[in-house]
Amino acid sequence: MRHVMVQIPKTPAPASPAPRSVPTSADVARLAGVSRATVSYVLNNTSAVRISEPTRRRVHEAAKELGYVPHAAARSLRAGHSRLVLMPAPTIPVGQLYGQFINELQWALSRLDYTVVQHGSVGLHGDEAARAWAELRPVAVLVPGAGLGPKGVAVLKRSGARAVVTLGPESVEGAHALLMDHEAVGRCAGAHLYERGRRRIGVVVPEEAGLEAFSLPRLEGVRNALRGTDATVTHLPLAHTEEAGARLAARWRDLGLDAVFAYNDEYAMLLMRALQDQGVDVPGETALIGADDLMIGRLLRPRLSTVHLELPSGRDLAELVDRAVRDPGAVPETHKVLGATVVHRESS
């Protein structure tokens, strides 16, 4: 067999496009027809210098057209500190109310030219977690819940954090504190049920790990509200599953309770559905009250009684962070937050 060799000409590889140069603030200034200083004032949201609105628009439009983004590290070097506010990601289930609060806080901090970053520190706790947070060199750290101690606060401050703010039941030495009085939530619920003529009161306490800092003070609040009266309090552990709700409801009449305060509206709705499935009349046989005042509670039948929580304003907390960043040597502030009031509806 005759073989014919054919040479395949080499096709040159297509030339890769030349890398585009990274746009600079000078490019933005030229396109907008302003100085580099004006670009810096506008994009850094500097309030000390007045810039007209048309000029601000031109600068933003030029930056968008060029794809220019300010260099955070360079800005931090000029300022002597970062604009990064770190918030540890919650390691416990958080409800809708807390999520709304966090969103408002992030928006308010961004308006003050801070960048908010949530840090996932799974498996790290307390002062060990603080060392992981410190590696990012945040200018401020907002710590929800308990666990951070004075040593952790000191580690954060040595790493350059100008403000450490805790949101929990107790203050921590060296940190600004927003004290959240969960005992008052339970006290309101217990007093309400007693005033409605109920005397055998159950308190749902979540079995989910990590919620003890919130749930146990609420249980204690009910006990404090009823101390010295003829009422009894029964501790009711409950996981947030349909199966757990059904098991509790199946033995409800054996418990002999005529009222229940659920940890929050979500647990209250879980238990209400389970009780109704067992034929337990709410509120005829058992009055029921939750906490958080979620809108969905108003859509239930019967409508859910609840304890309305007044969380701190995200704007107020953002201003506290900004004050602390501007004056890191100031004495830490302590504010009592989380006002609690009963909203009486049909379920109680």
Side-chain angles (χ1 to χ4, degrees), residues 189-207:
H192 171 72
L193 293 174
Y194 189 84
E195 289 165 3
R196 302 297 299 168
R198 308 295 171 150
R199 296 295 181 266
R200 301 181 305 281
I201 298 170
V203 178
V204 167
V205 176
E207 289 186 340

Side-chain angles (χ1 to χ4, degrees), residues 21-272:
S21 59
V22 178
T24 67
S25 61
D27 298 326
V28 177
R30 277 194 294 273
L31 184 58
V34 298
S35 67
R36 290 186 68 178
T38 299
V39 170
S40 177
Y41 294 145
V42 171
L43 298 184
N44 290 327
N45 209 19
T46 304
S47 58
V49 179
R50 297 191 64 176
I51 307 291
S52 70
E53 195 54 38
T55 300
R56 287 182 180 277
R57 272 200 304 273
R58 287 207 312 277
V59 170
H60 283 296
E61 288 167 1
K64 184 176 180 180
E65 181 177 335
L66 294 171
Y68 173 75
V69 178
H71 198 298
R75 183 171 61 178
S76 298
L77 286 173
R78 288 194 299 272
H81 58 79
S82 75
R83 302 292 291 180
L84 178 69
V85 176
L86 185 144
M87 295 183 66
T91 57
I92 59 175
V94 296
Q96 180 182 337
L97 186 68
Y98 183 77
Q100 291 171 348
F101 165 66
I102 293 301
N103 288 339
E104 181 187 347
L105 173 60
Q106 291 181 340
W107 176 85
L109 284 168
S110 68
R111 298 284 292 177
L112 294 172
D113 196 32
Y114 292 97
T115 299
V116 180
V117 173
Q118 285 207 337
H119 185 278
S121 47
V122 177
L124 300 178
H125 305 282
D127 298 340
E128 185 182 6
R131 285 189 285 274
W133 305 334
E135 291 180 6
L136 297 179
R137 298 297 189 268
V139 72
V141 181
L142 305 181
V143 187
L148 182 68
K151 289 183 180 178
V153 174
V155 166
L156 290 167
K157 289 190 171 181
R158 282 198 298 270
S159 73
R162 293 183 165 211
V164 179
V165 182
T166 60
L167 295 86
E170 298 177 349
S171 59
V172 180
E173 182 182 344
H176 299 269
L178 296 181
L179 302 180
M180 308 186 84
D181 187 4
H182 289 276
E183 190 270 346
V185 178
R187 198 166 60 246
C188 282
H192 171 72
L193 293 174
Y194 189 84
E195 289 165 3
R196 302 297 299 168
R198 308 295 171 150
R199 296 295 181 266
R200 301 181 305 281
I201 298 170
V203 178
V204 167
V205 176
E207 289 186 340
E208 281 70 21
L211 291 175
E212 301 86 358
F214 312 106
S215 61
L216 295 182
R218 293 186 183 191
L219 170 62
E220 190 60 26
V222 175
R223 287 176 172 154
N224 289 337
L226 302 178
R227 188 166 283 118
T229 72
D230 57 341
T232 60
V233 177
T234 301
H235 178 180
L236 301 172
L238 179 65
H240 196 261
T241 66
E242 287 186 70
E243 295 77 13
R247 285 194 297 269
L248 178 56
R251 59 189 183 93
W252 193 259
R253 289 191 172 97
D254 294 335
L255 293 170
L257 302 176
D258 63 6
V260 59
F261 164 51
Y263 165 70
N264 65 12
D265 286 353
E266 293 172 344
Y267 282 84
M269 289 184 276
L270 171 71
L271 183 56
M272 181 189 287

